[in-house]
């Protein structure tokens, strides 16, 4: 398993979880809200949040009946163990602000989980026996840090990536029987652990020593050498050298076969993400050249004979099996929509987490079964998306549009802006947009320049005019929405979380006549102060996006900072902020709010005691209710509990 910083990523994606089967130690309280309201009595929009969900189960490589998943069964997202042989399930973690980062040791004996403090993402790895027992520090001798990858070997080798403001990026190796780990890599720029080879002898890391945090290179290190120190360089793969264009690489995994030195690598050499095989011992590169449009990722089948291909194109995804010996590419049948994660089991079946905008997520198997089928309450469905393509200043912009089940336009319309920025909205189930639809709003989601899934040129277009470029694409779609009769021009809402929250505040200031309301969750509000306070990996990203630090390119930081335009904001704005947020820290939000208050601008601020988003269901419901009620007060639309018919 690898853990890396995902830029200014937003809150947990709801397509990563689905309904959960019977979980021991979970009471009927999971069917009630904090106020004791029964699930059946709650409005449909709240039921979508409250319905029990799980992530795609991870399984131990040497003990595939032992699985680990994330569930909100108690009302907070936590880790759960599942013994498939007996059917027994149990809750592994229990913390006030939840836990989602975890993995299994290859032999299935241990569950590793990351312990931060109240959502601040700064902490240490802990471990617990699979069958239950006391937690213990997993890697003695390492202080708290931001996680930057983790790899666990079959023979007991452990590789831990860390990131701190003081040390930059470091990688540490703990061998079986050793009392403490040894440091084998250090650099000021961002880096992280990619994978560990099957026999534990080779370590792949991703690094950005060249200074471009958006495009990684790969270095393979030896876990042990003649001196016993480890860390000797075996091979390098760096597509940022020898040309003017920066091309990124990503580690997808070593071959799961003893003695096989092939590493599955994602590359962008043809303007999109594709997989290739790189033999780190010989240097041989095998280009797969899959004839599929859009971005392509892959993982190994358990016997190493083939690859499970995940193909994303125009906000949908599908699965294929690639046979390495013959080059045959065979479709793995899945419903139309989005496969947000998938894994190939040892018996050759594929388990995958699927949803669509209309249908809640479910974990399915290619054997025809539902992997986890809950006896409890289900999330109500929502409405499907429509695809819209609009000509923008940088090319055709793809938007996903949802209309309320009742009524005719023009509707009050929420432009729900995704985070990242290296992310994209897809035809996947999401409770937040569904809540707006239930209250009579249309929802528009724009895959602006900077989004993934539309080629490297589209993703990389942000540099140096950060924020302003994305808003040009959103403006083009906004003009279409009004001209087509979908959107009421007097009731346009700009909303989003994380990078989407940043674009919301920036849009309210740079396009003050366009928006009637703004809803910004965990945003970048004051770019310079955010840079000073954010985690080190995000500082590197900001230097890449803007071409330097605030001291080096002050004019670019000023041009891209919402604080620069705060005095032009006319629309009422509601801001939600996590007081422990390391990505969009609280001080820079307070600076922005102080400026709003000084000029008497209409605004509300809600601060909650967690980090970059909440893993507590009641807290998420509260935040959505605050947004709905803020919009109702200022636009005259239905409040959070207003009567809306359930979508059938």
């Amino acid at each position: 398993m690898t853990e890396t910083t995902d830029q200014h990523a937003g809150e947990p994606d709801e397509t990563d979880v689905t309904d959960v089967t019977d979980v021991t130690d979970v009471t009927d309280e999971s069917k009630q809200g904090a106020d004791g309201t029964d699930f059946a009595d709650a409005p449909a929009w709240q039921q979508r949040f409250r319905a029990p969900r799980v992530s795609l189960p991870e399984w131990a490589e040497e003990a595939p009946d032992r699985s680990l998943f994330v569930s909100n069964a108690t009302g907070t997202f936590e880790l759960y163990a599942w013994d498939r042989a007996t059917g027994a399930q149990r809750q592994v973690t229990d913390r006030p602000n939840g836990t989602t980062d975890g993995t299994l040791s290859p032999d299935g004996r241990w569950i590793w989980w990351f312990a931060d403090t109240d959502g601040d993402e700064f902490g240490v790895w802990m471990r617990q026996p699979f069958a239950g027992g006391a937690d213990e520090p997993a890697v003695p001798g390492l202080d708290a840090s931001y996680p930057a990858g983790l790899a666990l070997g079959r023979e007991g080798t452990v590789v831990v990536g860390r990131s701190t403001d003081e040390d930059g990026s470091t990688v540490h190796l703990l061998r079986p029987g050793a009392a403490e780990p040894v440091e084998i890599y250090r650099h000021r720029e961002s880096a992280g652990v990619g994978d560990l080879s099957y026999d534990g002898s080779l370590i792949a890391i991703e690094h950005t020593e060249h200074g471009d945090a958006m495009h990684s290179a790969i270095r393979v290190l030896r876990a042990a050498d003649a001196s016993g120190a480890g860390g000797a360089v075996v091979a390098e793969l760096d597509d940022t050298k020898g040309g003017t264009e920066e091309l990124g690489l990503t580690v997808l995994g070593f071959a799961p076969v003893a003695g096989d030195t092939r590493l599955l690598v994602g590359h962008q050499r043809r303007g999109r993400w594709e997989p290739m095989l790189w033999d780190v011992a010989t240097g041989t590169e095998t280009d797969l050249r899959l004839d599929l449009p859009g971005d392509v990722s892959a993982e190994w089948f358990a016997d190493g004979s083939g690859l499970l291909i995940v193909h994303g194109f125009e906000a949908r995804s599908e699965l294929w099996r690639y046979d390495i010996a013959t080059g045959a590419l065979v479709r793995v049948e899945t419903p139309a929509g989005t496969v947000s994660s998938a894994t190939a089991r040892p018996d050759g079946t594929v388990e995958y987490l699927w949803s669509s905008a209309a249908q809640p997520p479910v974990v399915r198997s290619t054997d025809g079964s539902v992997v986890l089928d809950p006896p409890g309450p289900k999330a109500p469905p929502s409405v499907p998306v429509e695809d819209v393509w609009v000509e923008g200043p940088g090319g055709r912009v793809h938007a996903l549009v949802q209309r309320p089940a009742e009524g005719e336009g023009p509707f009050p319309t929420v432009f729900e802006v995704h985070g990242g920025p290296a992310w994209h909205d897809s035809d996947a189930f999401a409770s937040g947009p569904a809540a707006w639809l239930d209250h009579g709003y249309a929802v528009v989601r724009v895959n602006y320049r900077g989004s993934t899934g539309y080629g490297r040129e589209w993703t990389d277009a942000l540099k140096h005019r950060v924020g302003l470029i994305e808003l040009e694409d959103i403006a083009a779609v906004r003009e279409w929405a009004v001209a087509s009769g979908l959107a009421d021009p007097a009731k346009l809402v700009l909303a989003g979380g994380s990078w989407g929250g940043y674009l919301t505040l920036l849009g309210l200031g740079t396009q003050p006549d366009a928006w009637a309301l703004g809803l910004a969750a965990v945003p970048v509000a004051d770019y310079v102060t955010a840079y000073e306070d954010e985690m080190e990996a995000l500082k590197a990203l900001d230097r890449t996006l803007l071409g330097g630090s605030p001291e080096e390119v002050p004019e670019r930081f000023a041009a891209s900072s919402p604080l620069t335009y705060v005095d032009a904001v006319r629309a009422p704005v509601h801001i939600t902020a996590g007081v422990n947020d390391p990505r969009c820290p609280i001080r820079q939000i307070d600076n922005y709010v102080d400026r709003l208050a000084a000029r008497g601008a209409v605004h509300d601020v809600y601060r909650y005691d967690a980090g970059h988003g909440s893993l507590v269901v009641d807290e998420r419901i509260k935040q959505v209710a605050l947004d709905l009620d803020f919009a109702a007060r200022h636009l005259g639309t239905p409040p959070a509990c207003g009567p809306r018919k359930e979508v059938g």
Side-chain angles (χ1 to χ4, degrees), residues 54-134:
V54 299
S55 65
L56 179 72
E58 174 190 345
W59 49 275
E61 296 175 29
E62 302 295 324
D65 279 342
R66 295 193 167 189
S67 294
L68 184 70
F69 60 89
V70 177
S71 174
N72 67 338
T74 63
T76 300
F77 286 94
E78 297 286 2
L79 294 169
Y80 289 78
W82 175 27
D83 187 329
R84 297 184 185 220
T86 65
Q89 300 176 7
R90 70 174 185 87
Q91 185 174 340
V92 175
T93 55
D94 184 8
R95 302 194 303 154
N97 284 304
T99 315
T100 58
D101 292 340
T103 192
L104 289 164
S105 60
D107 60 10
R109 291 180 57 206
W110 294 96
I111 296 169
W112 286 57
W113 60 276
F114 190 76
D116 66 351
T117 302
D118 295 329
D120 67 357
E121 302 179 48
F122 194 82
V124 298
W125 286 101
M126 303 292 289
R127 69 176 190 173
Q128 179 185 131
F130 182 84

Side-chain angles (χ1 to χ4, degrees), residues 345-423:
R345 293 278 291 168
D347 62 2
T349 61
V350 175
E351 295 179 352
Y352 59 95
L353 181 58
W354 172 91
S355 74
S356 70
Q359 294 299 321
V362 61
V363 177
R364 300 174 181 263
S365 171
T366 52
D367 67 7
S369 68
V370 174
V371 177
L372 296 175
D373 187 19
K378 306 293 194 297
S382 187
V383 299
V385 296
E386 307 169 25
D387 294 279
V388 172
W389 293 88
V390 176
E391 289 299 327
R396 294 175 70 216
V397 184
H398 188 198
L400 302 175
V401 176
Q402 291 172 283
R403 303 170 186 265
E406 301 175 14
E408 297 182 0
F411 301 100
T413 300
V414 177
F415 279 71
E416 184 79 28
V417 185
H418 71 72
W423 191 248

Side-chain angles (χ1 to χ4, degrees), residues 17 169 570:
V17 291
S169 300
R570 300 177 188 172

Side-chain angles (χ1 to χ4, degrees), residues 285-358:
E285 298 176 17
T286 304
D287 190 349
L288 303 183
R289 286 190 174 273
L290 302 176
D291 186 20
L292 296 170
D295 285 342
V296 181
S297 186
E299 72 165 45
W300 295 91
F301 272 84
D303 61 1
S305 66
L307 302 175
L308 176 60
I309 303 297
V310 181
H311 171 227
F313 182 58
E314 296 184 350
R316 277 88 178 173
S317 55
E318 60 187 13
L319 300 178
W320 299 76
R321 189 190 193 282
Y322 177 80
D323 186 275
I324 294 175
T326 66
L329 188 65
V330 179
R331 175 77 180 269
V332 177
E333 293 299 327
T334 60
T338 294
V339 175
S340 60
S341 51
T343 185
R345 293 278 291 168
D347 62 2
T349 61
V350 175
E351 295 179 352
Y352 59 95
L353 181 58
W354 172 91
S355 74
S356 70

Side-chain angles (χ1 to χ4, degrees), residues 194-195 197 202-207 216-221 232-239 249-255 259-267 269 274-288 300 307 324:
D195 197 21
S197 63
L202 301 173
I203 302 164
I205 65 170
E206 297 180 9
H207 70 83
S216 295
I218 297 174
R219 180 172 299 155
V220 178
L221 307 176
V233 177
V234 175
E236 298 263 8
L237 194 62
D238 187 351
D239 281 4
L249 301 167
T250 189
V251 173
L252 299 177
F254 278 104
D260 195 330
T261 54
R262 291 176 300 170
L263 181 65
L264 186 61
V265 172
H267 68 90
R269 294 173 179 176
E274 301 175 84
M276 71 173 184
L277 296 173
W278 175 40
D279 191 324
V280 303
T282 66
T284 303
E285 298 176 17
T286 304
D287 190 349
L288 303 183
W300 295 91
L307 302 175
I324 294 175

Side-chain angles (χ1 to χ4, degrees), residues 6-11 417-420 496-504 520-524 581 583-584 612:
D6 187 19
Q7 303 177 8
H8 292 282
E11 297 179 1
V417 185
H418 71 72
S498 192
W499 197 264
Y502 158 63
L503 293 177
T504 294
V522 290
V524 175
D581 191 346
R583 299 171 184 253
C584 299
H612 198 65

